[in-house]
Amino acid sequence: MEHLFIINPEAGKGRSLEYIEKIKDYFKDVDEPYHIEMTRYPGHATEVVRSYVSHKNYRVYAVGGDGTLNEVLNGIVGTGSVLAVIPCGSGNDFVKNLIGEEPIEDIFISTLRGEEKYIDLGKINNRYFINISSVGFDSEVVYSANTFKKLKYITGSAAYILGILTTLFKFKFIKTAITIDGVKLYKDILLAAIANGRCYGGGVKISPKSDISDGIFDLCVVEKVSKLKIFLLFPKAIKGKHESIKQVSFYSGRSISISSSEEFVLNVDGELLKEKEVSCQLIRKGIKVLFPERKGLSVKEDSYSEAAAHL
């Protein structure tokens, strides 16, 4: 097996760079070829991965946050290479689908010794995603939070809280037409999240029952609510308890589209785009992923759950 490590040097305010020596130390005693590549600009990870996997198959490790993971994913899709995750971003949401809520002592070693399994994949417009794609308030929060994350002393959880507060003052509800496997709904929404995985935004369990291998999307729709109720919604969503709120509905399907007359922010695994219409399809067992070995993980992360007490 040949290994390719894609490292985002900005991830985790530079924590990703610590893995360079770990990688070199590990392969001193392992007779398998490996490569380390550093990303330099948005979209670079996809370009680098494609240049490698177009010639042969690799285990490709996304060393960074969920945005880096999405770029690496989009470079791998359609090949025989395997996707692996070394989480060191501010949220690290997708990896929770692989390891659960319990920590592992050494995510690096556990991943290298992991097991390959196929999972489902999503395609929204011309981009693939592995965890969650969403439109509405939450996407605007990510947009604002990304600005705060660049500040030296702002943690991931604090950035998301500041993002929520900032977005509250400027957000307008979106009039949408939503189609789920041919059935059309017309709703004024706060947000709509198309979920393959369970959580996003640094630990918000927006779709707590989702399974990355069940062959179906879960769609969480939050209709127009008062600003006061938004403050009640997010603490519940952190724990996955928001289903009890009247304006929250869950649907399931394999093909989902969302359109509006006004442009909205689309969040694709943490990557942000501006759209007026999105079309999303599920690809059953669309990619092979490396599941970490289960013997104890300690993924240190900034998360919404750490900030729950402040909301």
Side-chain angles (χ1 to χ4, degrees):
M1 176 60 65
E2 198 156 348
H3 306 263
L4 172 61
F5 295 87
I6 303 296
I7 299 178
N8 176 359
E10 303 296 323
K13 293 186 169 68
R15 289 199 308 270
S16 57
L17 297 174
E18 297 172 7
Y19 282 99
I20 295 174
E21 287 307 313
K22 290 183 180 180
I23 294 166
K24 291 178 179 178
D25 286 344
Y26 179 85
F27 283 97
K28 283 178 183 176
D29 302 316
V30 177
D31 187 21
E32 294 179 0
Y34 72 94
H35 311 268
I36 298 174
E37 296 283 355
M38 310 287 283
T39 62
R40 299 196 300 272
Y41 48 82
H44 189 218
T46 302
E47 295 172 9
V48 173
V49 171
R50 282 177 180 164
S51 70
Y52 274 87
V53 302
S54 61
H55 303 293
K56 63 169 74 171
N57 292 331
Y58 293 81
R59 276 188 177 175
V60 186
Y61 303 79
V63 186
D66 288 328
T68 305
L69 172 60
N70 183 264
E71 286 196 16
V72 171
L73 166 72
N74 276 272
I76 289 178
V77 172
T79 74
S81 290
V82 178
L83 177 64
V85 188
I86 306 294
C88 50
S90 58
N92 303 322
D93 288 297
F94 175 72
V95 75
K96 298 181 183 75
N97 295 289
L98 307 183
I99 65 174
E101 298 297 325
E102 293 299 318
I104 296 177
E105 259 177 45
D106 191 332
I107 185 66
F108 176 68
I109 297 299
S110 297
T111 299
L112 287 165
R113 296 174 178 171
E115 179 183 359
E116 297 176 4
K117 298 179 185 178
Y118 279 101
I119 67 166
D120 299 334
L121 186 63
K123 185 178 184 182
I124 190 159
N125 290 1
N126 293 316
R127 191 167 187 87
Y128 295 94
F129 71 98
I130 200 167
N131 191 32
I132 294 172
S133 284
S134 63
V135 302
F137 184 85
D138 56 337
S139 301
E140 296 283 355
V141 167
V142 173
Y143 187 86
S144 296
N146 283 349
T147 301
F148 290 113
K149 283 180 186 178
K150 295 174 184 175
L151 301 177
K152 187 174 182 180
Y153 296 108
I154 301 297
T155 64
S157 56
Y160 277 104
I161 291 171
L162 290 169
I164 290 171
L165 296 174
T166 301
T167 305
L168 271 173
F169 289 102
K170 64 179 183 180
F171 183 77
K172 294 180 181 179
F173 296 98
I174 306 172
K175 290 184 178 294
T176 63
I178 301 173
T179 306
I180 308 162
D181 289 346
V183 178
K184 202 161 249 188
L185 309 170
Y186 296 93
K187 294 182 181 291
D188 291 355
I189 66 166
L190 175 73
L191 67 87
I194 303 169
N196 187 36
R198 295 189 298 274
C199 64
Y200 67 166
V204 177
K205 297 176 183 176
I206 195 69
S207 188
K209 297 178 182 177
S210 288
D211 184 334
I212 55 176
S213 302
D214 65 357
I216 201 160
F217 287 129
D218 294 297
L219 173 67
C220 176
V221 176
V222 182
E223 296 183 52
K224 188 174 180 179
V225 295
S226 67
K227 289 187 177 181
L228 175 61
K229 205 152 194 178
I230 292 174
F231 277 109
L232 300 175
L233 169 69
F234 276 91
K236 283 182 175 287
I238 290 165
K239 300 175 182 178
K241 303 293 184 183
H242 52 298
E243 190 173 8
S244 61
I245 295 174
K246 180 182 176 182
Q247 290 85 358
V248 176
S249 301
F250 282 89
Y251 307 89
S252 59
R254 293 175 60 89
S255 177
I256 298 170
S257 65
I258 302 172
S259 63
S260 176
S261 60
E262 299 291 329
E263 193 173 60
F264 51 75
V265 176
L266 170 65
N267 172 20
V268 184
D269 285 346
E271 297 294 295
L272 302 177
L273 306 166
K274 292 284 188 76
E275 303 286 355
K276 284 188 177 180
E277 183 173 355
V278 296
S279 179
C280 182
Q281 291 80 38
L282 183 133
I283 303 169
R284 183 78 167 121
K285 295 184 178 180
I287 192 161
K288 191 181 287 187
V289 171
L290 194 58
F291 280 65
E293 183 181 60
R294 287 295 319 173
K295 284 185 182 175
L297 179 106
S298 185
V299 180
K300 290 202 168 185
E301 59 197 339
D302 300 319
S303 72
Y304 251 135
S305 54
E306 293 173 359
H310 301 293
L311 293 176

